[in-house]
Amino acid sequence: MYELYYFPSNANVAPHILLEEIGVPYVLKLIDRTKGAHKEAAYLALNPGGVIPTLIDGDLVLTESAAICWYLAEQHPQAGLIDVTGSVHRAHALRWLMYLTNTLQAEILHYYYPERLAGEDKAAADALKNRADARISGILTILDNQIMVSHGPYLLGETFCVADAFLFMLCRWTRNMTKPARDYPQLSRFVRTMAARPAVVRAMTQEGLVAPWV
């Protein structure tokens, strides 16, 4: 049985949604960040970076949310989260998952944690946060256009794929920004469609998150 180490609304949201979409048994294990549990020795033994989530599957210990999402999709082809090896659809699903984690997620982290780069220089941290906010708007525009081109409501068209769970999670993280994802026409339709999926409702409810989620 899968074990997913999580904290509400952290990067575990995407794999949590996929576990619900797949419909396999799993156990949620809370790592309470408010008490520093993610930096304790027991958790660091699993995840040396002290970040959330971590997935346990037998002897496999897997970190990094995007990697966990892809692994789950590959382990359960019947769920239709990715297409067969070598297909164009599969290639694009991987492309957008990597784009999300390497660009949008990275900029969101700069927005929320500018001090990681700026140190104690508050002016520099504020400038970095503002710059990240602006760059996020550009990235969301690209994603909004992708949904339009694919004829949506999902990233690759009418069919839900592995990258959509990740995008929904990141859209939630933009909800307090200058122009959140819900303010873009195609992304607005996307988040409404996602929020209506039973698997999303179950995952968000299990994490104790209150709607509207984005």
Side-chain angles (χ1 to χ4, degrees):
M1 182 182 295
Y2 293 118
E3 298 177 7
L4 181 66
Y5 289 79
Y6 83 106
F7 186 76
S9 198
N10 275 220
N12 44 264
V13 167
H16 190 179
I17 288 171
L18 294 184
L19 285 167
E20 284 293 332
E21 289 282 353
I22 293 165
V24 292
Y26 67 93
V27 174
L28 288 176
K29 294 200 169 184
L30 177 66
I31 297 297
D32 193 343
R33 290 188 57 184
T34 66
K35 298 179 179 178
H38 59 308
K39 300 300 182 183
E40 292 178 355
Y43 187 67
L44 291 174
L46 296 174
N47 191 321
V51 295
I52 301 168
T54 299
L55 181 78
I56 307 295
D57 181 18
D59 293 331
L60 174 67
V61 179
L62 192 60
T63 65
E64 300 300 322
S65 183
I68 293 170
C69 288
W70 193 258
Y71 174 76
L72 291 172
E74 283 197 321
Q75 291 298 110
H76 301 277
Q78 76 284 356
L81 301 173
I82 51 176
D83 208 341
V84 296
T85 300
S87 71
V88 171
H89 187 278
R90 184 186 182 97
H92 282 301
L94 181 59
R95 168 205 175 187
W96 285 109
L97 183 61
M98 294 302 99
Y99 180 80
L100 291 170
T101 191
N102 288 335
T103 55
L104 181 53
Q105 185 177 13
E107 289 295 343
I108 291 174
L109 292 177
H110 291 159
Y111 176 90
Y112 282 111
Y113 306 105
E115 70 280 357
R116 291 179 180 177
L117 294 179
E120 297 181 1
D121 187 335
K122 187 177 185 307
D126 289 344
L128 182 60
K129 181 174 182 175
N130 291 336
R131 180 58 181 156
D133 197 356
R135 286 179 57 82
I136 288 165
S137 292
I139 295 168
L140 291 176
T141 298
I142 290 172
L143 292 164
D144 196 68
N145 185 66
Q146 164 59 23
I147 296 172
M148 180 182 68
V149 169
S150 73
H151 304 295
Y154 301 108
L155 266 175
L156 299 183
E158 296 181 358
T159 304
F160 174 84
C161 78
V162 62
D164 292 308
F166 209 90
L167 176 56
F168 181 75
M169 175 181 73
L170 298 185
C171 285
R172 170 176 168 78
W173 293 357
T174 71
R175 66 192 183 282
N176 296 320
M177 295 182 182
T178 302
K179 189 176 181 182
R182 64 178 180 271
D183 286 355
Y184 295 77
Q186 302 302 322
L187 285 170
S188 177
R189 179 171 65 134
F190 167 79
V191 296
R192 291 196 307 271
T193 302
M194 285 291 296
R197 293 184 72 88
V200 173
V201 174
R202 291 192 298 269
M204 303 300 273
T205 302
Q206 288 166 15
E207 295 198 14
L209 303 175
V210 179
W213 298 304
V214 179

